[in-house]
Amino acid sequence: MMKYSGYKGKVLAINLTTKKTSSIEITDEFARKYLGGNGFAVRYIFDMVDPRMDAFDATNVVAMMTGPFQGINSPTAGKYYMATKSPLTNGYFDSVSGGFIGAQIKYAGYDGFLITGKADKPTYLFVEDGKVEFRPAEKLWGRLTGETQEMIKEEVGDPNLCVSAIGPAGENLVRYACVITEYRAAGRGGVGAVLGSKKLKAVAVRGSGTNEVADPEAYEAWMQWYKEEAKKVPGLAVGLPTYGTPALVASIGKMLGAMGSYNHKTEFFQNWENISGERLKKEFWDKDTACPACPIACSKVFSAKSGKWKGAISEGPEYETIYSLGSMCGIDDLGAIIKGDSLCDEWGMDTVSYGVAVSFIMEAYEKQLITRENTDGVEFKFGNDDAMIAYIEKTAKREGIGNLIAEGSLRAARVIGGGSERFAIQVKGLEIPGHSARALRGMSLGYATATRGGSHHDPRPTGEYAGASDRKAVEGKAAWVIGTQQMTTIGDSLVNCHFLERLLGFTLTQKWVDMINPVTGFGYTLEELTTVAERILDLERSFNVRTGIRRKDDTLPRRFLEEPIPEGPSQGMHTDEPTLNRMLDEFYVIKGWDPKTGIPTKEKLIRMGLEDVADRLAKEGISC
Amino acid sequence: MSVVVAQEKKPLIRFDIKKCAFCKICELSCSKYHYKKFGDSISRITIIRKGPLMFKCHICTRCEKRFCITACPTKALSYKGGNIVVDPKLCNSCGDCVKACPFHGIRLHPETKLPLICDLCDGDPSCVKDCPKGALSLVWLPEVRK
Ligand code: SF4
Ligand code: SF4
Ligand code: SF4
């Protein structure tokens, strides 16, 4: 029995090659040191995976983790966490998704799974309480994510079963293939492709157990506090429940002029009104949906009631997808965006990377770096919604130029050449989402330094939108970015939604501590919690430096460094190389990373209680 | 012969499919109220989703036919004060009531193996209070009696 609550005290290691499982104990000390989700996964992956191996090697590990909050009714706890070495960035990569499967892992008696090896035939895992079955999945192979989930529910005979599945994109190793649970995605970085390389089609989990909190009275008091306080936060009380994230089209696209369009040739989309959240709600809305345990219910089912794409229906699109499939590709038909959103989910790929890779191809086509001969005669022009839709399936199947789109924009640029890398909108291989690296100084530095590369869930843009940090300032930005990265790391370790930031703070605050202690019983101070976050981030960085990542990789696409935003409310803004370097210098110093190389210093690692990591780096000759 | 007894009313937890967001807070609320723990396997209400818009609520409807009472071989179930009540001394955990209920309103507790049936939480339904979308409500309908 563990002293702390929110844990089951064991993680199940599952080897697909040998079809054997073994249980790894979670000790009190380990839980306190690494918290859960993100912290647990990075510790195991650092210990188990050789970072120099290919992501598709059988020895790669996929962690499917929970934190202490899964299975309880704390707002936004209805999530689960996945991590692996990414086939897109080659670095440590994690992806958080909504889904009751996180709770079921707890109810089944585990804090998470570590999946390794490679099955000889398509397989799915069925975990029920203490029991694990390797089930044949030949008849599921090639199927879309929706029907895969349905077929497994039917086979098990439980319409309420939680299933996480990959689609054909994962099977065919599309580098940004995702994992779908219900209608939500562990979207980014290609976790689905790694599962595909392991021939693992799905994981289904059901448990009859429970989860409890350490101090029910304090927990109840916190829940009451949440209910009262959340009412006062406009985003949580009105914006997200009413419009969901598409509300951002007006605030970011119109007011700020910071919504990447036409592969970031501009950031002001003239037709923003056509793809706005207001219009989605008025003309396309069917109902609100939520991740489990979430009272915000930011998710919505939308369908096209008329027009060219009449009948298209999807849970979503989120703001990011309106950006990637919409403004980036020059498409202003919400019907097409809804269609594309549902097809990406069904075929099993990340909408952000897909859309941004397509917009990259569109610009290469415009610049005549590729021609109709390369595209099977398709006019790959901005605004061609038929091409954007048709190539989802072709990309999932790696047909024609879909084979190149499946590699992501950086690898596609290297094939196409002609200086196209300049306008491949990615950092470390990960396509940048719809939060401007040019109009938000924090995101310039944030993307450049994030473990995952172009992710808005390592650094967060929200505080700069809200004015909590001046979006133009350079001074003090490094500390701000570090603060937001610490906050998201804790969020990902609890495996909670980052939208809590609007209430609890964009960086770690006592309010975050006050939410965690009643559930776990840790009695953390803010200082200890901050150390937990730094420890996890240093582990991620240490994994990445062992793949060869250095300061030189902490950068932005040339387009962003050299071309200011050409028009609109943020006209003229960008972060040039000297400015980025200035912020980077400051960033490494605060972090305790070597400013020359970007490698965590021995002193810092030891201070974080990571002596073994410091030793490992030294042994491999990486220390500084 | 059945007659409507106008004065007597039966309680019903009404489910609004249009409002429900599939957050399952009702399930966790139910388990917390009765057991001070969180788990859907010990909830007396279950929300099922089939397709983007098709949601179903599984809960005892206090139906007129009381299939569960009829099915019970040990007479462990009875109807009292608007609820199906289980006598734990008589119940042998056969699960016949579970199979008999066409509304999927019963499951067996995974440990005690006794039927779990909505009891309205002493008259103040916890799920109704906690549903953030107002998708659940307690209504009283005229009772049809044999
Ligand atoms: S709490 Fe309300 S909205 Fe949530 S699943 Fe239950 S009925 Fe639906
Ligand atoms: S449990 Fe089912 S059969 Fe029994 S009264 Fe309720 S709805 Fe009717
Ligand atoms: S009224 Fe009470 S017992 Fe019945 S389902 Fe709701 S929470 Fe459970």
Side-chain angles (χ1 to χ4, degrees):
Chain A
M1 265 294 277
M2 286 179 70
K3 183 161 83 184
Y4 301 122
S5 295
Y7 303 96
K8 293 291 137 186
K10 64 176 188 254
V11 160
L12 192 71
I14 300 166
N15 190 319
L16 290 163
T17 311
T18 60
K19 293 199 167 39
K20 291 230 159 63
T21 65
S22 59
S23 149
I24 301 171
E25 191 197 343
I26 303 262
T27 62
D28 285 316
E29 195 203 344
F30 186 85
R32 188 174 185 117
K33 212 169 157 186
Y34 297 104
L35 190 53
N38 194 167
F40 285 8
V42 71
R43 183 69 245 194
Y44 291 125
I45 287 178
F46 185 89
D47 291 343
M48 294 166 74
V49 177
D50 180 346
R52 289 153 302 196
M53 293 299 270
D54 190 79
F56 295 136
D57 191 89
T59 59
N60 197 3
V61 171
V62 174
M64 189 170 186
M65 281 292 153
T66 66
F69 278 62
Q70 275 58 64
I72 64 172
N73 68 346
S74 185
T76 84
K79 300 213 167 240
Y80 71 99
Y81 175 96
M82 298 203 90
T84 193
K85 177 188 157 95
S86 161
L88 197 59
T89 67
N90 281 325
Y92 179 81
F93 207 100
D94 50 7
S95 205
V96 170
S97 164
F100 208 39
I101 196 161
Q104 295 299 330
I105 293 172
K106 280 272 189 261
Y107 298 161
Y110 301 103
D111 293 307
F113 308 136
L114 295 164
I115 303 166
T116 186
K118 201 174 237 174
D120 51 353
K121 292 191 295 274
T123 300
Y124 81 89
L125 289 172
F126 177 53
V127 182
E128 185 175 29
D129 291 329
K131 188 178 89 218
V132 185
E133 287 175 36
F134 298 79
R135 294 193 169 191
E138 271 103 344
K139 60 180 194 297
L140 301 171
W141 209 246
R143 301 234 182 222
L144 304 179
T145 56
E147 54 181 351
T148 301
Q149 295 182 64
E150 283 314 311
M151 284 171 76
I152 293 176
K153 287 181 193 186
E154 206 143 293
E155 188 173 300
V156 174
D158 180 358
N160 211 15
L161 184 69
C162 291
V163 186
S164 299
I166 62 165
E171 299 168 11
N172 296 326
L173 311 184
V174 173
R175 287 185 186 272
Y176 42 84
C178 65
V179 181
I180 297 281
T181 308
E182 287 141 28
Y183 295 89
R184 306 204 67 95
R188 310 216 63 199
V191 185
V194 178
L195 290 182
S197 76
K198 298 187 175 309
K199 291 232 176 331
L200 188 64
K201 181 68 178 171
V203 180
V205 189
R206 172 165 82 174
S208 64
T210 56
N211 200 11
E212 290 125 74
V213 300
D215 183 344
E217 237 166 78
Y219 177 71
E220 224 28 70
W222 185 86
M223 289 290 277
Q224 285 311 321
W225 177 85
Y226 175 87
K227 272 184 202 152
E228 286 311 308
E229 294 301 310
K231 279 188 212 146
K232 301 177 199 156
V233 181
L236 296 181
V238 189
L240 286 170
T242 314
Y243 300 106
T245 55
L248 297 174
V249 173
S251 53
I252 301 175
K254 178 198 171 204
M255 314 267 286
L256 223 54
M259 183 173 179
S261 307
Y262 301 93
N263 198 41
H264 280 275
K265 285 195 293 178
T266 179
E267 301 201 14
F268 187 71
F269 192 62
Q270 294 294 343
N271 298 344
W272 69 270
E273 225 160 347
N274 289 348
I275 55 170
S276 69
E278 288 72 11
R279 176 147 188 259
L280 247 187
K281 174 80 186 201
K282 216 165 110 214
E283 295 174 34
F284 297 81
W285 179 84
D286 288 314
K287 82 189 325 288
D288 296 345
T289 52
C291 292
C294 182
I296 305 167
C298 74
S299 199
K300 278 112 192 58
V301 177
F302 296 111
S303 64
K305 320 276 190 268
S306 61
K308 182 172 166 190
W309 301 98
K310 185 174 168 187
I313 180 166
S314 187
E315 183 168 313
E318 301 285 345
Y319 165 73
E320 303 306 335
T321 304
I322 299 178
Y323 149 86
S324 63
L325 304 184
S327 61
M328 280 293 270
C329 294
I331 291 166
D332 69 350
D333 183 340
L334 277 172
I337 297 170
I338 291 171
K339 183 75 189 171
D341 186 49
S342 76
L343 285 176
C344 282
D345 284 358
E346 286 290 1
W347 289 92
M349 67 179 92
D350 174 25
T351 56
V352 179
S353 279
Y354 173 74
V356 176
V358 167
S359 77
F360 167 79
I361 296 289
M362 285 173 168
E363 187 167 348
Y365 186 84
E366 190 177 75
K367 295 197 154 65
Q368 295 179 344
L369 295 170
I370 52 172
T371 63
R372 282 171 81 146
E373 273 162 47
N374 309 109
T375 63
D376 299 321
V378 174
E379 278 269 25
F380 237 98
K381 278 189 177 151
F382 285 109
N384 185 346
D385 54 354
D386 291 306
M388 183 274 284
I389 298 288
Y391 272 83
I392 295 172
E393 178 173 345
K394 287 183 193 291
T395 298
K397 294 180 172 165
R398 285 182 170 276
E399 287 171 5
I401 203 166
N403 193 29
L404 201 58
I405 300 172
E407 290 291 291
S409 27
L410 177 62
R411 287 175 177 80
R414 285 177 184 158
V415 172
I416 291 170
S420 60
E421 209 170 300
R422 170 187 187 83
F423 57 83
I425 304 303
Q426 52 75 38
V427 173
K428 297 190 173 73
L430 183 71
E431 283 73 13
I432 294 177
H435 304 278
S436 177
R438 289 187 285 197
L440 306 172
R441 195 78 73 196
M443 295 311 282
S444 312
L445 179 63
Y447 290 132
T449 55
T451 302
R452 289 181 282 198
S455 160
H456 64 298
H457 280 286
D458 286 342
R460 292 288 290 155
T462 326
E464 288 186 318
Y465 290 138
S469 171
D470 176 2
R471 73 184 173 103
K472 297 185 176 166
V474 176
E475 220 57 59
K477 203 51 102 174
W480 163 263
V481 168
I482 289 169
T484 64
Q485 291 177 347
Q486 289 167 346
M487 182 278 290
T488 55
T489 301
I490 294 303
D492 292 347
S493 298
L494 304 170
V495 200
N496 269 354
C497 179
H498 295 156
F499 290 162
L500 290 177
E501 70 195 341
R502 291 162 203 245
L503 183 60
L504 304 181
F506 303 114
T507 58
L508 289 177
T509 61
Q510 187 59 36
K511 287 182 189 155
W512 282 94
V513 180
D514 293 342
M515 178 175 79
I516 298 169
N517 284 339
V519 173
T520 57
F522 284 147
Y524 274 152
T525 59
L526 179 55
E527 197 191 343
E528 185 177 355
L529 185 67
T530 309
T531 304
V532 172
E534 275 299 303
R535 179 181 298 131
I536 295 167
L537 286 162
D538 284 351
L539 258 173
E540 291 183 354
R541 183 67 176 190
S542 299
F543 183 91
N544 280 2
V545 298
R546 292 176 67 215
T547 69
I549 282 171
R550 293 293 181 272
R551 174 172 177 148
K552 65 173 174 17
D553 304 294
D554 294 345
T555 187
L556 295 170
R558 298 298 324 164
R559 165 163 287 168
F560 290 172
L561 293 172
E562 288 163 15
E563 299 169 23
I565 296 176
E567 59 179 336
S570 292
Q571 185 177 11
M573 282 195 72
H574 81 127
T575 296
D576 58 19
E577 212 159 11
T579 310
L580 180 64
N581 273 325
R582 220 177 100 198
M583 292 194 291
L584 280 173
D585 284 336
E586 216 183 307
F587 181 93
Y588 298 127
V589 168
I590 302 175
K591 288 295 279 190
W593 296 356
D594 173 39
K596 266 214 322 278
T597 58
I599 298 171
T601 59
K602 193 173 160 201
E603 297 72 51
K604 172 71 186 303
L605 292 174
I606 290 172
R607 212 158 18 94
M608 294 299 109
L610 297 171
E611 293 81 0
D612 66 307
V613 175
D615 288 348
R616 171 80 71 97
L617 294 190
K619 225 173 85 198
E620 291 173 15
I622 302 172
S623 58
C624 46
Chain B
M1 199 183 70
S2 69
V3 287
V4 176
V5 184
Q7 299 87 331
E8 270 194 71
K9 301 258 177 120
K10 70 156 190 171
L12 178 79
I13 302 266
R14 183 172 276 161
F15 174 68
D16 186 338
I17 180 175
K18 190 86 192 154
K19 286 187 182 158
C20 174
F22 198 60
C23 69
K24 291 180 169 276
I25 287 174
C26 49
E27 299 177 10
L28 299 176
S29 168
C30 183
S31 80
K32 188 187 77 170
Y33 180 85
H34 292 92
Y35 304 103
K36 306 208 168 359
K37 291 176 180 179
F38 300 99
D40 62 343
S41 65
I42 49 171
S43 165
R44 295 144 203 247
I45 180 169
T46 302
I47 310 293
I48 307 261
R49 183 174 190 183
K50 228 176 147 54
L53 297 172
M54 187 57 209
F55 293 37
K56 278 198 264 175
C57 176
H58 289 173
I59 187 172
C60 169
T61 63
R62 280 91 186 160
C63 68
E64 317 295 356
K65 292 244 165 74
R66 319 266 198 258
F67 298 99
C68 51
I69 296 184
T70 316
C72 178
T74 66
K75 303 215 171 351
L77 299 179
S78 55
Y79 186 70
K80 277 188 211 119
N83 290 328
I84 301 290
V85 182
V86 184
D87 184 338
K89 289 196 290 299
L90 293 178
C91 176
N92 69 358
S93 303
C94 67
D96 285 359
C97 57
V98 175
K99 282 177 235 142
C101 175
F103 306 97
H104 308 284
I106 311 184
R107 60 153 55 95
L108 296 187
H109 187 291
E111 276 156 27
T112 66
K113 305 285 179 207
L114 289 173
L116 289 175
I117 310 174
C118 170
D119 63 4
L120 296 178
C121 309
D122 304 311
D124 190 9
S126 184
C127 55
V128 173
K129 268 192 298 193
D130 283 351
C131 170
K133 300 300 274 183
L136 300 172
S137 51
L138 174 64
V139 293
W140 295 83
L141 301 175
E143 171 96 64
V144 182
R145 271 280 179 78
K146 275 249 169 78

